[in-house]
Amino acid sequence: MQLYAILRRSGWRSGAELEEAAARSARVGDVEMSDDIRWIRSYVLDEGGGSVGTVCIYEASSPEAIREHASRAGLPVDEVIAVAETVVVRPDPQPATA
């Protein structure tokens, strides 16, 4: 499996839409395509005007598997980029509590 970054620009009009998409993504990845794809993490992007996008990190057997997963889960895919190396300077900060 290779590590990939997936760019999804302005894919959702709200955080609630993104949550619904995340549930579909997890179901498709964990149930239907568990041998081909594994969701690692996502960073939610503030695209302005209330819309959000994401940069998602996945392990997958191929870029085609990522696109198939997105199609089944109803997710946009603007770009799929193979990750050559991971350099962790600091761990991701903990999200602020509301």
Side-chain angles (χ1 to χ4, degrees):
M1 297 258 259
Q2 166 73 41
L3 200 62
Y4 294 93
I6 301 103
L7 181 59
R8 308 178 201 275
R9 298 301 305 253
S10 297
W12 302 275
R13 291 183 303 247
S14 68
E17 276 189 4
L18 176 57
E19 286 182 31
E20 291 171 10
R24 289 192 311 272
S25 177
R27 181 185 49 77
V28 170
D30 293 346
V31 176
E32 298 177 23
M33 298 184 68
S34 61
D35 291 339
D36 289 311
I37 197 161
R38 186 170 156 230
W39 183 11
I40 305 299
R41 72 174 42 87
S42 292
Y43 299 96
V44 179
L45 309 174
D46 180 352
E47 300 280 11
S51 72
V52 294
T54 59
V55 174
C56 299
I57 307 300
Y58 278 76
E59 283 183 324
S61 58
S62 67
E64 294 77 22
I66 289 170
R67 292 187 188 285
E68 174 67 20
H69 169 266
S71 176
R72 290 186 193 189
L75 305 173
V77 175
D78 294 304
E79 195 169 354
V80 177
I81 306 159
V83 174
E85 187 66 47
T86 301
V87 177
V88 178
V89 176
R90 291 179 186 87
D92 287 346
Q94 294 298 314
T97 57

